[in-house]
DNA sequence: AAGACGAAAGTGGTTGA
DNA sequence: TCAACAACTTTCGTCTT
């Protein structure tokens, strides 16, 4: 079942170009000529069927029903009998126990439901603030539900767990947002989000590949109003950087920012380190360090020099 | 004056004994 | 559990355009 809820955009309102590029996985639509991000809330058409444990060591795998995870109850709640079952029981002791169990079960499940209701509302709020695709939102909801069911929320605020779940979902879907952005959207400190993110993913056995710097390029480039040529140049730079192991161990946003900075220099659409640093959420110093490594190891110095002289 | 550069000290997280 | 360590940040002074 495939359907688009939004009518598709035919041409760019900015430059009138018909050269529109859709990336359904990332929920991004960009204009190839001016780089404008046109519509980034498309429906993701692919179903997420993977389960959580890629390591296979622990049997934590469980797949959600193909219902919407953002509904607070999928009709899967438990119930301990009803009063009609009561009369089938013999002794007073059994009846006592029956009532106690029933009472507690209702109490617990309603508590969880209430919690989920509030949490999912918050999740939707943040998700729409960050313009995340529906698939990510659902993934985050699934993660949050698991977290609650395992009782891992104890000692943590609901909001931070929601933010952590969203962050994890973003990473899994390779639509990374920075911790800063997540912090701004949720009002939670980024180190708190990072903490819960690590905790939740570890406890749930969710394995997440280290994020690819290239995933950040379209968004950063668009924020800096850089042309698509620069984007692809930056991606090329990132690829060759990865080939010589320059990317491992470093913060992906820093590398992405530096690549973009270098690309902007070479193409004569210069942006200051400050500007690039701001949108990427790193400091100028980090950009400088990455930038130095890049031009040195990739022998781009002459390219940069050349375009400087122009 | 603004941007680029680099040194030095501090922070938070990872790793390995 | 603790200390060493790498990456990143903050701050600040200097150089370049």
């Amino acid at each position: 079942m495939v359907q688009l809820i939004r009518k598709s955009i035919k041409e760019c309102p900015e430059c009138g170009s018909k050269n529109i590029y859709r990336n359904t996985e990332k929920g991004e639509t960009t204009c190839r000529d001016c780089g404008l991000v046109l519509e980034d809330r498309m429906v993701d058409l692919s179903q997420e069927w993977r389960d959580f444990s890629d390591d296979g060591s622990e049997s934590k795998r469980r797949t959600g029903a193909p219902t919407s995870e953002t509904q607070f109850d999928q009709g899967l709640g438990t119930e301990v009998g009803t009063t009609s079952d009561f009369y089938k029981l013999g002794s007073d002791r059994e009846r006592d126990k029956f009532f106690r169990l029933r009472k507690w079960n209702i109490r617990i499940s309603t508590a969880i439901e209430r919690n989920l209701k509030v949490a999912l509302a918050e999740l939707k709020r943040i998700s729409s603030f960050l313009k995340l695709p529906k698939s990510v939102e659902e993934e985050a909801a699934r993660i949050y539900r698991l977290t609650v069911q395992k009782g891992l929320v104890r000692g943590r605020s609901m909001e931070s767990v929601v933010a952590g779940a969203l962050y994890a979902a973003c990473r899994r879907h390779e639509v990374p947002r920075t911790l800063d952005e997540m912090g701004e959207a949720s009002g939670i400190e980024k180190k708190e989000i990072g903490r819960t993110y690590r905790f939740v993913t570890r406890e749930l056995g969710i394995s997440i590949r280290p994020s690819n710097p290239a995933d950040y390029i379209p968004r950063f480039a668009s924020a800096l109003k850089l042309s698509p040529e620069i984007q692809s140049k930056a991606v090329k730079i990132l690829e060759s950087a990865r080939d010589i192991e320059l990317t491992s161990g470093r913060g992906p946003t820093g590398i992405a920012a530096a690549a973009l900075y270098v690309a902007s220099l070479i193409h004569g659409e210069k942006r200051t380190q400050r500007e690039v640093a701001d949108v990427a959420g790193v400091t100028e110093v980090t950009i400088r360090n990455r930038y130095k490594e890049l031009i040195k190891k990739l022998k781009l110095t002459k390219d940069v020099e050349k375009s400087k002289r122009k």
Side-chain angles (χ1 to χ4, degrees):
Chain A
M1 181 77 92
V2 165
Q3 55 175 9
L4 269 171
I5 58 165
R6 297 216 182 209
K7 67 170 190 254
S8 45
I9 296 168
K10 290 276 162 34
E11 62 181 51
C12 173
E14 186 80 11
C15 65
S17 160
K18 297 242 164 77
N19 197 0
I20 304 298
Y21 171 64
R22 271 173 201 288
N23 184 330
T24 31
E25 248 184 46
K26 296 186 182 172
E28 287 170 347
T29 305
T30 51
C31 168
R32 281 219 155 118
D33 286 333
C34 67
L36 182 73
V37 174
L38 299 167
E39 169 63 85
D40 44 12
R41 283 211 76 194
M42 291 189 305
V43 183
D44 187 285
L45 306 171
S46 60
Q47 178 65 45
E48 171 68 47
W49 279 115
R50 287 175 294 171
D51 73 7
F52 286 129
S53 59
D54 292 343
D55 54 4
S57 61
E58 291 170 59
S59 61
K60 282 176 179 170
R61 54 188 69 230
R62 54 187 79 181
T63 334
T67 54
S68 176
E69 292 282 344
T70 46
Q71 296 300 309
F72 76 94
D73 189 341
Q74 301 162 276
L76 300 174
T78 57
E79 200 177 343
V80 179
T82 56
T83 40
S84 65
D85 297 326
F86 170 72
Y87 299 102
K88 296 173 195 154
L89 298 169
S91 66
D92 285 348
R93 180 179 299 232
E94 278 178 341
R95 294 182 184 193
D96 264 6
K97 190 177 175 187
F98 172 80
F99 273 120
R100 260 186 297 124
L101 285 177
R102 183 171 159 73
K103 193 167 92 181
W104 274 107
N105 188 60
I106 288 174
R107 210 174 269 180
I108 290 170
S109 51
T110 53
I112 289 180
E113 280 171 17
R114 250 201 306 276
N115 182 309
L116 276 175
K117 239 179 184 169
V118 179
L120 292 176
E122 175 71 2
L123 194 149
K124 281 184 176 173
R125 213 209 83 230
I126 301 174
S127 168
S128 77
F129 184 89
L130 291 173
K131 303 207 189 331
L132 296 171
K134 191 77 182 162
S135 58
V136 172
E137 190 179 313
E138 300 241 333
E139 176 88 21
R142 182 155 48 222
I143 294 171
Y144 184 83
R145 186 188 304 275
L146 277 176
T147 313
V148 172
Q149 283 168 355
K150 290 194 140 207
L152 301 173
V153 199
R154 195 178 294 261
R156 260 162 276 267
S157 76
M158 185 205 80
E159 289 87 351
S160 68
V161 178
V162 168
L166 259 174
Y167 182 72
C170 285
R171 293 282 297 271
R172 277 179 60 79
H173 285 248
E174 290 169 8
V175 202
R177 301 290 119 130
T178 62
L179 280 174
D180 278 319
E181 290 168 305
M182 197 58 78
E184 196 200 333
S186 64
I188 307 291
E189 271 204 70
K190 68 169 186 178
K191 56 178 177 180
E192 179 64 25
I193 299 176
R195 241 204 306 276
T196 51
Y197 158 73
R198 273 191 303 278
F199 178 75
V200 166
T201 48
R202 182 159 37 85
E203 292 299 317
L204 258 38
I206 301 173
S207 73
I208 292 178
R209 280 171 296 167
S211 63
N212 180 358
D215 292 335
Y216 292 97
I217 294 293
R219 228 153 30 81
F220 290 170
S222 159
L224 289 166
K225 303 201 192 328
L226 287 167
S227 67
E229 295 87 64
I230 295 191
Q231 284 193 37
S232 42
K233 179 71 185 169
V235 172
K236 267 188 208 137
I237 293 175
L238 286 176
E239 280 169 6
S240 37
R242 191 193 46 212
D243 290 343
I244 55 172
E245 312 270 305
L246 214 69
T247 55
S248 68
R250 271 122 234 249
T253 50
I255 299 176
L260 217 42
Y261 176 68
V262 174
S264 82
L265 278 185
I266 293 176
H267 279 258
E269 278 185 52
K270 189 171 174 196
R271 296 292 180 275
T272 65
Q273 295 180 350
R274 178 82 258 153
E275 289 171 309
V276 183
D278 277 343
V279 305
V282 295
T283 60
E284 302 160 72
V285 182
T286 303
I287 296 204
R288 278 202 290 276
N289 293 335
R290 293 298 90 78
Y291 160 74
K292 265 190 300 181
E293 293 168 358
L294 283 178
I295 61 172
K296 192 173 177 186
K297 300 275 174 58
L298 294 175
K299 304 188 181 82
L300 288 168
T301 322
K302 58 178 187 329
D303 294 283
V304 177
E305 296 292 322
K306 207 192 309 169
S307 51
K308 256 187 202 168
R309 237 167 274 131
K310 274 191 276 191

